[in-house]
Amino acid sequence: MSAFADSLSQELAKLQEKKLHRQLRLPHGLDLSSNDYLCLSQHPQVLQGLQEGIRLYGAGSGASRLIRGHRDVFAEVEACFAEWVGAETSLLLANGFAANLGLINAIANPKTTVYTDRLNHASILDGIRLSRAKRKYYNHLDMQQLQRLCEKDAHGTAKIIVSETTFSMDGDIPDLQELLHLKQKYNAVLILDEAHALGVLGEKGAGVCHLPEYVKQDLANIDFRVYTAGKSLGLEGAFVACSQQAKDYLTNKMRTFIYSTAPMPCIAHAMLTAIPLLQSMQAERESLLQNARFLVESLQAMGYDTLDTQSQIIPVLLPDEAGALRLSQYLQERGFDIRAIRPPTVPQSRLRISVNAGIQRQDLENLLAHMRSYQAKAE
């Protein structure tokens, strides 16, 4: 065995020992772990739109959009999406990781200070790292600490504030009004990642920025909003919603856009079906969120810590990695596809339950019954 192969074996053994080793597993049982929140990945109209897109455009795009990969359907879906979320325009990319990483790398530099929630997604943190900007963490949702950090750098530095609007592992939501206030007070650029809010929260599912408590003029004060199509829209890809000037800049400076093969045009065509369909699904949104609230309250009554989730994402905190794996396996053996999430993805091991529109109240009652049985056996 070579020295390199030996080092890999040692590292894998350490992960196994700490119960942090991961393996690919196929979907199995009732979906309570994916991000397909409105079940559009299997919706007949979306599948028909995808098939139609293949007939119209073929499969792949063949090149980056600045070479030969651009299609009229990309401009069409960018305009459609921007209208939905109340932006001047938007830019379509291959996925959310590429959108966050490329955006931050394009607008930040070593003279920039980026203020990031400690629990922001890895794509955000990697974008900051790649840009070589000065990174300052603030504790999760702690607006007072964020203000103190901004105040220390009140003069002489370009600032970017970045936060998710619905955190992917905790399900909670930041104080958007305070983020807007600090952005204006300290003349910062504000980036909001709406990936897990899109389709579920806000008017017509347009995200946290479209909740009733936020007035429309707030949108103009948010420099960039990042959305993914691989969650509630049931497809793949991502959008950066921004001004026309900012889009022009990103088209010329964003490396994950410039140097990536354009998305499959058939997927963009299917988005033209998925977007209006998702907008119309208000009853499904309401049912989904009611079921999520029922599950949260029931789990809390059983003594589980679900943090401060305000969405369809429900963390069930557990004391250690081994316990998270045992409960996950117990539930999967009984037909519930719920995965254990462990460090370094999260600070504390947990089950991450995500409720989707296909879940019925009886499904959740069955899940709770099995969790009570597990508790009883563990006592």
Side-chain angles (χ1 to χ4, degrees):
M1 182 180 293
S2 69
F4 176 65
D6 186 55
S7 70
L8 296 185
S9 295
Q10 290 179 27
E11 189 60 33
L12 288 168
K14 290 177 185 177
L15 291 174
Q16 292 275 14
E17 183 180 355
K18 296 177 181 178
K19 305 297 183 184
L20 297 178
H21 185 260
R22 295 167 172 82
Q23 290 179 302
L24 295 174
R25 288 184 297 175
L26 294 172
H28 175 74
L30 187 68
D31 176 14
L32 282 161
S33 59
S34 83
N35 302 321
D36 189 13
Y37 300 127
L38 276 297
C39 302
L40 289 195
S41 71
Q42 301 299 318
H43 196 286
Q45 291 180 40
V46 176
L47 297 179
Q48 183 179 352
L50 188 60
Q51 292 164 355
E52 183 178 80
I54 292 173
R55 289 196 299 271
L56 289 171
Y57 299 100
S61 58
S64 70
R65 286 180 66 183
L66 288 173
I67 303 298
R68 190 181 163 85
H70 185 58
R71 302 289 189 278
D72 57 353
V73 72
F74 295 146
E76 188 178 356
V77 77
E78 285 171 343
C80 176
F81 189 87
E83 182 179 5
W84 178 23
V85 300
E88 190 174 322
T89 188
S90 71
L91 183 65
L92 175 65
L93 291 105
N95 56 59
F97 205 107
N100 275 329
L101 186 144
L103 168 61
I104 296 172
N105 185 46
I107 66 172
N109 59 55
K111 296 181 180 179
T112 308
T113 301
V114 182
Y115 304 88
T116 174
D117 189 294
R118 193 168 290 280
L119 297 187
N120 274 338
H121 192 267
S123 58
I124 293 171
L125 304 182
D126 284 357
I128 301 169
R129 184 180 299 112
L130 190 63
S131 74
R132 295 184 293 132
K134 186 175 183 179
R135 177 176 51 197
K136 290 196 174 182
Y137 289 109
Y138 59 92
N139 292 330
H140 184 48
L141 305 184
D142 189 341
M143 296 296 102
Q144 291 183 341
Q145 186 185 27
L146 173 57
Q147 178 163 0
R148 289 194 298 271
L149 291 172
C150 290
E151 188 65 37
K152 287 181 181 178
D153 303 320
H155 304 288
T157 181
K159 299 178 179 63
I160 297 173
I161 298 171
V162 56
S163 177
E164 298 181 42
T165 64
T166 302
F167 281 82
S168 61
M169 292 294 156
D170 287 31
D172 48 8
I173 296 171
D175 185 340
L176 183 53
Q177 290 287 24
E178 187 61 20
L179 285 171
L180 284 162
H181 168 70
L182 294 175
K183 172 257 191 314
Q184 293 173 308
K185 181 176 180 179
Y186 296 104
N187 193 28
V189 170
L190 179 60
I191 301 173
L192 296 177
D193 182 345
E194 289 262 47
H196 290 272
L198 186 71
V200 179
L201 301 173
E203 183 181 358
K204 294 185 177 180
V208 168
C209 294
H210 286 261
L211 288 171
E213 54 263 42
Y214 304 122
V215 294
K216 298 299 183 188
Q217 55 261 37
D218 287 337
L219 296 175
N221 292 320
I222 304 168
D223 300 278
F224 299 96
R225 286 173 280 149
V226 178
Y227 303 83
T228 59
K231 298 177 175 62
S232 286
L233 280 168
L235 292 157
E236 64 178 37
F239 294 90
V240 178
C242 57
S243 69
Q244 184 60 54
Q245 181 189 48
K247 178 178 179 178
D248 189 24
Y249 177 85
L250 294 178
T251 301
N252 284 274
K253 291 288 189 177
M254 190 176 188
R255 293 172 67 86
T256 55
F257 173 83
I258 297 168
Y259 298 104
S260 288
T261 298
M264 295 168 66
C266 57
I267 290 178
H269 184 81
M271 287 181 196
L272 294 173
T273 296
I275 290 170
L277 181 60
L278 196 56
Q279 289 175 303
S280 71
M281 299 177 72
Q282 186 59 29
E284 289 85 350
R285 274 187 283 279
E286 291 175 0
S287 175
L288 184 162
L289 290 172
Q290 287 171 4
N291 280 337
R293 179 46 46 190
F294 164 76
L295 184 56
V296 167
E297 292 173 353
S298 300
L299 289 167
Q300 290 174 347
M302 294 168 61
Y304 286 109
D305 183 357
T306 60
L307 298 174
D308 296 318
T309 180
Q310 302 169 61
S311 69
Q312 74 283 5
I313 299 166
I314 304 169
V316 181
L317 265 60
L318 293 160
D320 54 44
E321 290 70 46
L325 289 170
R326 283 195 300 270
L327 180 52
S328 173
Q329 182 176 354
Y330 179 88
L331 295 173
Q332 288 186 26
E333 289 171 352
R334 285 150 183 82
F336 301 95
D337 194 353
I338 299 173
R339 307 296 174 99
I341 310 296
R342 294 159 287 161
T345 306
V346 290
Q348 181 175 346
S349 289
R350 67 196 62 190
L351 301 187
R352 178 191 183 269
I353 301 175
S354 58
V355 180
N356 64 62
I359 301 297
Q360 304 300 314
R361 184 63 60 91
Q362 185 60 53
D363 297 323
L364 299 180
E365 290 173 351
N366 290 340
L367 169 64
L368 290 164
H370 285 294
M371 293 186 74
R372 291 189 187 96
S373 296
Y374 181 86
Q375 275 187 330
K377 291 179 180 179
E379 291 175 356

